Amino acid sequence: ALLEPCHAKGQPLSDLAVLNDCAFAAGLAKSERDDDMARFLVSPRGGSDVALRLGECLTRGVVASPVVVLDEKFPLEGAQPYAVVGAVLAELLATGTNFRVVEPSGMDSSKWP
């Protein structure tokens, strides 16, 4: 929801209207006119919440975006090719909790639940 406005259109995410459009596109706002999420994100409480969540990610070794966490314990970092995501999902479905984790450099999966 952020990619097109921010990178393709050069719209500032500091603009509440732009931020609200992104929140609505991501399903975080109830309507196109509901700017509660945008206002929360730019508030001191919202900033603290974002900082707390970023800190949790860094503690777990997440240093890339996007990150998809499979089965609440297996992070898949970065924009992976479809073939990689498909292979990872197939292995997870086939092996369940015996999923084989291949850690990219800098990733510390021991900090995941």
Side-chain angles (χ1 to χ4, degrees), residues 24-78:
F24 180 69
L28 299 173
K30 298 171 197 157
S31 71
E32 290 183 66
R33 296 189 184 271
D34 173 25
D35 66 356
D36 288 348
M37 179 57 70
R39 290 190 183 284
F40 172 73
L41 289 173
V42 297
S43 73
R45 183 171 171 226
S48 295
D49 187 60
V50 169
L52 177 67
R53 291 173 188 261
L54 285 173
E56 289 172 357
C57 290
L58 290 172
T59 297
R60 292 179 172 180
V62 174
V63 294
S65 175
V67 174
V68 176
V69 180
L70 305 167
D71 198 23
E72 297 184 17
K73 50 187 144 176
F74 305 115
L76 183 61
E77 277 194 338

Side-chain angles (χ1 to χ4, degrees), residues 2-17:
L2 298 173
L3 184 65
E4 184 179 343
C6 186
H7 298 288
K9 295 180 179 176
Q11 296 175 323
L13 294 179
S14 58
D15 181 326
L16 277 180

